[in-house]
């Protein structure tokens, strides 16, 4: 079971890194809206049901990401755009619409019996890897001051992600949080 996850995650780590490098955006806190625009994805903000954070759909072969206009938290929206961009990068040939509910704890939840459960996990892994590339995390962790009493907060601010997303990513990358 572990090996399947490892293969999947390595694939996603490589894919996200090459996307960033190819687009000259392999840096901390890059502009995700500009990245999405490079793929001619229409990014729109619209009123959606309050429990929905965003969605991805292909309409007439044109990719569209919709973000809930009621969500004013920029970090949450950034993660949602990265998640939907994950659906574009990994699942756009599925002829399916991906509607994403707001995360209850750390990330967008999906039920195990949901037919898209695996794809939702992939999109979450994609978003985390895109916004917090392993190499850049390792680099920035080295540069954190030893007297910094809240390194997770410092890293989260640099990478423009929530502290919970950063904590989760650091744990996944094998860092011990104190
Ligand atoms: Zn999703």
């Amino acid at each position: 079971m572990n090996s399947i996850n490892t293969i999947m995650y390595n694939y996603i780590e490589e894919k996200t890194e090459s996307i960033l490098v190819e687009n000259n955006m392999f840096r901390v806190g890059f502009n995700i809206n500009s990245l999405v625009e490079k793929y001619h994805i229409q990014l729109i903000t619209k009123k959606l049901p309050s429990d929905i954070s965003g969605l991805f759909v292909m309409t007439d072969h044109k990719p569209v990401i919709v973000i809930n206009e009621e969500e004013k938290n920029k970090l949450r929206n950034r993660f949602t755009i990265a998640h939907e961009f994950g659906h574009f990068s990994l699942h756009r040939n599925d002829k399916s619409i991906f509607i994403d509910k707001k995360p209850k704890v750390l990330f967008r939840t999906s039920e195990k019996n949901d037919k898209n459960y695996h794809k939702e996990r992939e999109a979450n892994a994609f978003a985390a890897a895109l916004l917090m590339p392993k190499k850049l995390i390792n680099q920035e962790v080295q540069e954190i001051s030893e007297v910094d009493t809240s390194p997770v907060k410092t890293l989260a601010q640099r990478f423009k992600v929530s502290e919970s997303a950063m904590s989760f990513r650091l744990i996944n990358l094998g860092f011990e949080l104190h």
Side-chain angles (χ1 to χ4, degrees):
M1 166 180 137
N2 257 338
S3 60
I4 292 169
N5 277 347
T6 308
I7 292 162
M8 179 185 93
Y9 282 64
N10 283 343
Y11 163 72
I12 288 172
E13 300 288 335
E14 283 165 21
K15 187 163 181 105
T16 50
E17 187 182 317
S18 58
I19 286 171
L20 291 169
V21 170
E22 277 164 24
N23 289 287
N24 214 8
M25 289 196 180
F26 192 62
R27 57 177 177 269
V28 176
F30 70 94
N31 185 328
I32 191 146
N33 293 43
S34 307
L35 177 65
V36 163
E37 276 171 24
K38 282 177 188 267
Y39 290 83
H40 307 288
I41 299 167
Q42 200 187 350
L43 180 59
I44 51 181
T45 304
K46 213 172 158 178
K47 193 169 167 53
L48 295 172
S50 59
D51 62 328
I52 305 296
S53 55
L55 61 88
F56 172 76
V57 65
M58 294 289 291
T59 51
D60 300 325
H61 305 287
K62 290 190 189 108
V64 182
I65 291 175
V66 185
I67 297 297
N68 195 338
E69 71 173 17
E70 283 176 9
E71 179 58 74
K72 303 297 181 197
N73 185 315
K74 284 185 179 167
L75 300 183
R76 251 179 250 156
N77 282 336
R78 191 162 183 268
F79 197 93
T80 301
I81 294 166
H83 175 104
E84 306 306 343
F85 182 52
H87 285 310
F88 166 80
S89 299
L90 304 166
H91 314 128
R92 66 175 175 273
N93 296 324
D94 292 3
K95 295 187 178 70
S96 169
I97 176 168
F98 295 92
I99 299 172
D100 292 300
K101 292 206 169 175
K102 283 188 179 165
K104 288 197 178 74
V105 194
L106 281 179
F107 289 103
R108 280 136 200 82
T109 51
S110 54
E111 304 301 324
K112 282 206 173 183
N113 56 5
D114 182 339
K115 68 178 167 61
N116 283 331
Y117 176 73
H118 176 68
K119 287 171 193 165
E120 293 308 330
R121 287 194 52 159
E122 280 190 315
N124 279 338
F126 184 98
L130 186 77
L131 300 178
M132 298 168 275
K134 193 175 174 179
K135 284 180 192 165
L136 295 182
I137 289 280
N138 288 338
Q139 198 176 296
E140 293 295 312
V141 164
Q142 301 267 315
E143 284 175 17
I144 287 277
S145 161
E146 279 178 27
V147 293
D148 191 332
T149 51
S150 48
V152 173
K153 189 177 177 183
T154 303
L155 288 167
Q157 285 171 347
R158 284 188 194 163
F159 284 83
K160 297 185 193 159
V161 295
S162 69
E163 284 180 51
S164 57
M166 180 54 74
S167 302
F168 197 70
R169 177 65 168 160
L170 289 170
I171 291 164
N172 272 340
L173 292 174
F175 288 98
E176 274 183 45
L177 303 186
H178 300 286

